[in-house]
Amino acid sequence: MILVMKQFQAHRFSVAPMMDWSDRHCRSLHRVLSSRALLYSEMVTTGAVLHGDRERLLAYDAGQHPVALQLGGSEPADLAAAARIGEDYGYDEINLNVGCPSDRVQSGKFGACLMREPDLVADCMAAMAAAVKVPVTVKCRIGVDDQDPEEALFTLVDKCVAAGVSTFIVHARKAWLQGLSPKENRDVPPLDYPLVYRLKRERPGLTISINGGVPGVDAALEHLQHVDGVMLGRAAYHEAGLLGAVDRRVFGLDAPDVTPFEAVERYRPYIEASLAQGWRLAGITRHMLGLFHGLPGARAWRRILTVEGVGEGAGIEVVDKALEAVRRAVEERDTRGAQNTVETAAG
């Protein structure tokens, strides 16, 4: 199924903001697999942006565009200031987290607990929109705890629209703020895709992206029959190779898919440059562990990167060794397949 796009729409396919995962190295890996997918940073709190090490938190390789910065906070003035800093760093979008259910986030009065305070969210978005020229967007749940999802979601969206927001990424689950861990909140509350589809039908002028439980590109294409965009999280991280088909299948580009082998070669200059800057190999390659998921040699790939990549001074030769192990395994499989074909024909 090939969809030809009349105009490039970054939100058509995006990779979710994921704490401890979607860092600068991860995003650069994902970019070599897809030239079009919109990439999101990890959530960064306003306090960290305003008072922390900005270069460590916000810097990224220029090749990552389009890339969005996700902020966590609930103080309009602080969010406006942090959004300006993000814009100065060149981010193409500033996103507010209204979906994370962790205790730490709740204690800071941001994330999913803000679903209960739509007026405050609207004030935050109005302040951010007034502070920057790039788009400001919201990533939210459909509700929390005992909220009625229909009422909670539509109220939040409508108040944010009045504040100048037109793009929403909706994780199609409630968040339970008590009794479920953040991990359980990604799986246990039931998905309600039809509610998000209805939001798009009844608010057709908005850009609505859907998130939550999307396993791959086939499912993304199904969702795109109903909404403007799809955001993948864990699937894109643990099986990054699936991103190699996104440009062709989702954005309609007349281009061959990027294979995992090609992705490694494209990523290699970034690895070498990052090592030269003082980054440790393991911190870069940990995002590559699932790249060869489902292929012969995938286990050897993971083992070599994990065991040998953590050593002091580990360099690009570790990646080369792991890649060669996969190549050998694939060649052995192909050789066995060819032999079986010959034997079958001879029989």
Side-chain angles (χ1 to χ4, degrees), residues 47-227:
V49 173
L50 298 178
H51 308 295
D53 183 346
R54 293 177 190 169
E55 194 65 16
R56 180 181 65 83
L57 293 169
L58 301 179
Y60 58 93
D61 185 82
Q64 287 182 15
H65 294 287
V67 60
L69 171 66
Q70 187 183 68
L71 295 175
S74 59
E75 169 55 50
D78 288 349
L79 281 164
R84 279 193 294 269
I85 292 168
E87 183 179 49
D88 289 343
Y89 267 84
Y91 285 92
D92 301 293
E93 170 190 320
I94 311 296
N95 177 265
L96 179 64
N97 183 320
V98 190
C100 181
S102 77
D103 292 339
R104 180 174 65 85
V105 166
Q106 290 182 58
S107 67
K109 197 184 176 184
F110 56 93
C113 65
L114 289 176
M115 292 295 300
R116 293 190 182 124
E117 301 188 62
D119 289 315
L120 175 57
V121 175
D123 290 343
C124 291
M125 298 311 298
M128 293 165 64
V132 298
K133 294 182 176 62
V134 297
V136 294
T137 66
V138 172
K139 186 175 189 295
C140 64
R141 294 278 183 140
I142 61 174
V144 296
D145 298 338
D146 294 324
Q147 283 185 321
D148 173 46
E150 178 182 335
E151 180 180 350
L153 178 60
F154 278 70
T155 297
L156 180 80
V157 167
D158 288 343
K159 288 183 180 293
C160 288
V161 169
V165 181
S166 61
T167 298
F168 298 85
I169 303 98
V170 184
H171 186 149
R173 285 188 176 95
K174 272 188 175 184
W176 288 95
L177 302 181
Q178 302 295 329
L180 291 181
S181 69
K183 181 179 184 300
E184 290 169 329
N185 261 301
R186 292 192 293 267
D187 295 301
V188 174
L191 288 158
D192 190 351
Y193 294 141
L195 180 61
V196 185
Y197 298 164
R198 180 182 160 196
L199 176 65
K200 176 58 187 178
R201 287 198 309 272
E202 297 188 9
R203 306 292 187 272
L206 301 179
T207 298
I208 304 297
S209 291
I210 201 165
N211 171 234
V214 185
V217 176
D218 287 343
L221 292 172
E222 291 295 325
H223 285 302
L224 287 170
Q225 303 300 312
H226 306 280
V227 291

Side-chain angles (χ1 to χ4, degrees), residues 225-339:
Q225 303 300 312
H226 306 280
V227 291
D228 302 293
V230 179
M231 174 181 278
L232 264 67
R234 287 168 290 166
Y237 187 84
H238 291 304
E239 301 177 33
L242 66 82
L243 297 176
V246 164
D247 286 358
R248 176 181 62 84
R249 298 192 64 199
V250 178
F251 290 101
L253 295 189
D254 183 14
D257 295 350
V258 179
T259 70
F261 291 102
E262 291 168 337
V264 175
E265 294 304 323
R266 294 183 182 188
Y267 194 46
R268 183 188 178 96
Y270 176 85
I271 297 174
E272 293 176 322
S274 297
L275 291 171
Q277 294 167 7
W279 294 96
R280 293 177 64 90
L281 182 69
I284 304 168
T285 57
R286 68 189 181 97
H287 307 296
M288 306 171 68
L289 297 180
L291 189 58
F292 290 94
H293 177 82
L295 288 177
R299 182 177 298 179
W301 165 262
R302 294 192 301 270
R303 176 181 54 78
I304 294 169
L305 291 185
T306 302
V307 174
E308 301 185 27
V310 298
E312 188 68 32
I316 194 69
E317 69 281 352
V318 176
V319 178
D320 292 339
K321 180 178 178 180
L323 188 63
E324 182 57 29
V326 181
R327 289 192 192 280
R328 286 198 304 271
V330 171
E331 289 172 359
E332 289 171 3
R333 179 202 62 185
D334 293 345
T335 299
R336 288 195 302 271
Q339 290 173 344

